[in-house]
Amino acid sequence: MADQIEQTIRSLRELGRTHGAESEKVVRWVRGESERRCADGDSWYLGDLGVALLAAHRAEPRAWQYLYIFDHLMKLLVEVSGKGDLPQTLRLIAASRAAGHDIDRIAAARLAAHRRRATFADAFIGQGLADDVGDTFRACLVHEIVLREGTARGRSWITEWAATAAMRRHPLGWLPLDLAGFERGWDRGPSVRGTSGTRAGGALSGGFSGTVNGTVGREITLHPRAHRRRFAADLTTPMASIRLSAAVMNWVEDSHGRIEARVFDLGGPVPPPNVPETLATLGLRCIEPGDMPVRLSVSGIAVDEAWWSLFHAALDGGAHGRGRFGAYSRLFAWRSLAALAGAPEDAGALDVVLWAQRCAWYRFDADAPWYSGIICDIGLVAVRPDGRRMAVLAATDSE
């Protein structure tokens, strides 16, 4: 088997950096042979070839074919092979990590999605394998499992590892090992992706927890150059903006997105029917009219829908990029939710739930020039428990 793998790498190396018909023919053959070996249960072949591909890429980092085939091997091991493939999968995750490639998030997401009945114990307590894959992969796997099963407490090896210092000091260690009420049904929640400007936070049927506050479906028109008196004080700090934007930051980092994240003191409680008019007085760029009037629609929502919109914003990503996968999308959604609700920076998950449940939540939609209206738009408002502080998060992206 070693001779065949050596010959395979030699054939791939001879392709150089070309994308011609001959190179594609060789790559198809390697993929086909890997699929045949996978069907025969020869996961060792896939593991050995994967390690060899990483070594070849290290020597020729600009050659495309090595990582292209490596990714195919990972998919075969995770999605197709039998239960005996887990050690080889972990072996390739560890080898990839040692080679400087970050596949922890995607590997954990794929494993949790396609191996729901697997124990994954080897990732935490396996001889040698557990140390090699690293804490980020394990932390991601824990919360990918939580997302799919609602809890990780039924698996002793997870709860034991989650109590270690390694998990406590990891960013994902902040997350609870059980889904909060507003997180349940995340896979049936709204997606921010769409073919023609789908709005995150669209209408959902059932499944809400808590009370829907405010006015539903109220719409006003903002006219160009109309004078709107401003009574609110802008309390936005750079840190507040960063916290508010956590769930949509990848729209800017990986794509062409824009974000407006702000906090205001309104000077007094705002009645729910007055939320649209209040938004219009805040000087928000995202709803500012251009040369034409802008339609501003505001609807009361439950905290479920707010969280789902934030989670899917991180999970799906913007117009470009592939999102943050489940574990980190969950973390970033919690961070944005906590900031919108006004929870202290050091608040725990249970405290954030209480803060979020006491807020009045709204979504808004505006056909203003700021919004691209092409791929991804989002508009969320949280009126905090005192009724006088309002947090706003708006984001848009384009192709």
Side-chain angles (χ1 to χ4, degrees):
M1 183 168 66
D3 291 342
Q4 181 177 348
I5 289 176
E6 184 177 344
Q7 178 59 44
T8 297
I9 297 297
R10 187 180 303 115
S11 298
L12 291 171
R13 187 178 296 119
E14 290 172 357
L15 301 179
R17 303 169 191 168
T18 64
H19 284 267
E22 185 61 29
S23 63
E24 292 177 1
K25 180 180 178 181
V26 174
V27 169
R28 282 198 302 271
W29 182 88
V30 176
R31 284 166 58 104
E33 177 66 15
S34 301
E35 290 165 5
R36 287 189 290 274
R37 294 290 190 124
C38 178
D40 291 339
D42 189 359
S43 60
W44 273 99
Y45 174 84
L46 273 66
D48 289 347
L49 178 58
V51 171
L53 288 167
L54 290 172
H57 182 263
R58 187 162 52 249
E60 297 181 272
R62 297 181 64 184
W64 63 275
Q65 59 267 33
Y66 303 122
L67 293 187
Y68 179 75
I69 297 173
F70 180 87
D71 186 61
H72 185 62
L73 298 182
M74 287 294 299
K75 288 182 179 179
L76 290 175
L77 285 168
V78 171
E79 301 174 14
V80 180
S81 296
K83 293 181 179 179
D85 67 84
L86 184 58
Q88 292 304 314
T89 305
L90 298 177
R91 177 189 176 197
L92 290 191
I93 293 170
S96 184
R97 176 172 174 259
H101 302 295
D102 180 10
I103 66 168
D104 289 335
R105 302 183 190 191
I106 187 173
R110 285 179 176 174
L111 277 170
H114 294 277
R115 289 286 181 267
R116 295 201 179 194
R117 290 185 295 274
T119 66
F120 299 121
D122 284 344
F124 296 85
I125 58 176
Q127 297 296 322
L129 292 172
D131 293 332
D132 293 338
V133 294
D135 293 333
T136 293
F137 168 75
R138 286 193 290 268
C140 286
L141 184 57
V142 167
H143 289 289
E144 294 288 352
I145 291 172
V146 171
L147 282 167
R148 288 160 178 82
E149 299 184 6
T151 183
R153 299 187 187 279
R155 305 183 187 217
S156 60
W157 37 269
I158 281 187
T159 53
E160 290 173 4
W161 186 78
T164 64
M167 183 59 161
R168 289 197 305 271
R169 64 173 174 257
H170 195 279
L172 294 173
W174 181 90
L175 289 169
L177 294 180
D178 307 283
L179 290 181
F182 54 71
E183 294 182 282
R184 297 186 181 276
W186 63 270
D187 52 344
R188 299 187 299 276
S191 170
V192 298
R193 281 206 188 279
T195 57
S196 58
T198 299
R199 298 288 196 237
L204 299 174
S205 57
F208 291 153
S209 66
T211 303
V212 177
N213 297 288
T215 183
V216 177
R218 179 130 186 276
E219 184 176 305
I220 63 173
T221 300
L222 309 182
H223 295 278
R225 293 175 293 277
H227 177 68
R228 289 180 290 275
R229 296 183 64 186
R230 300 179 182 178
F231 299 98
D234 192 337
L235 304 180
T236 312
T237 64
M239 182 54 66
S241 181
I242 291 171
R243 294 181 64 216
L244 288 164
S245 304
V248 290
M249 191 59 71
N250 57 338
W251 293 19
V252 174
E253 295 173 344
D254 300 339
S255 191
H256 311 296
R258 291 191 298 273
I259 300 171
E260 186 166 18
R262 298 169 70 181
V263 181
F264 300 93
D265 186 334
L266 306 177
V270 55
N274 293 353
V275 170
E277 287 82 2
T278 301
L279 282 174
T281 67
L282 298 179
L284 295 167
R285 298 186 302 276
C286 61
I287 61 173
E288 189 66 28
D291 297 328
M292 301 292 292
V294 165
R295 174 194 57 82
L296 173 63
S297 176
V298 180
S299 300
I301 60 173
V303 64
D304 308 55
E305 190 171 345
W307 186 87
W308 287 341
S309 297
L310 295 166
F311 176 76
H312 281 277
L315 182 69
D316 298 341
H320 302 277
R322 59 183 180 184
R324 297 298 192 236
F325 303 101
Y328 272 93
S329 295
R330 186 182 182 216
L331 177 63
F332 295 146
W334 274 86
R335 286 180 176 176
S336 285
L337 189 82
L340 284 162
E345 289 187 43
D346 60 351
L350 291 178
D351 291 328
V352 171
V353 170
L354 294 176
W355 278 83
Q357 289 177 337
R358 292 169 58 203
C359 290
W361 294 91
Y362 303 87
R363 70 171 184 268
F364 68 89
D365 183 28
D367 54 0
W370 188 88
Y371 277 111
S372 300
I374 297 174
I375 300 294
C376 312
D377 288 343
I378 190 170
L380 289 173
V381 176
V383 178
R384 294 173 180 172
D386 60 8
R388 61 179 290 163
R389 296 207 177 195
M390 175 183 286
V392 178
L393 176 63
T396 189
D397 199 6
S398 61
E399 292 182 299

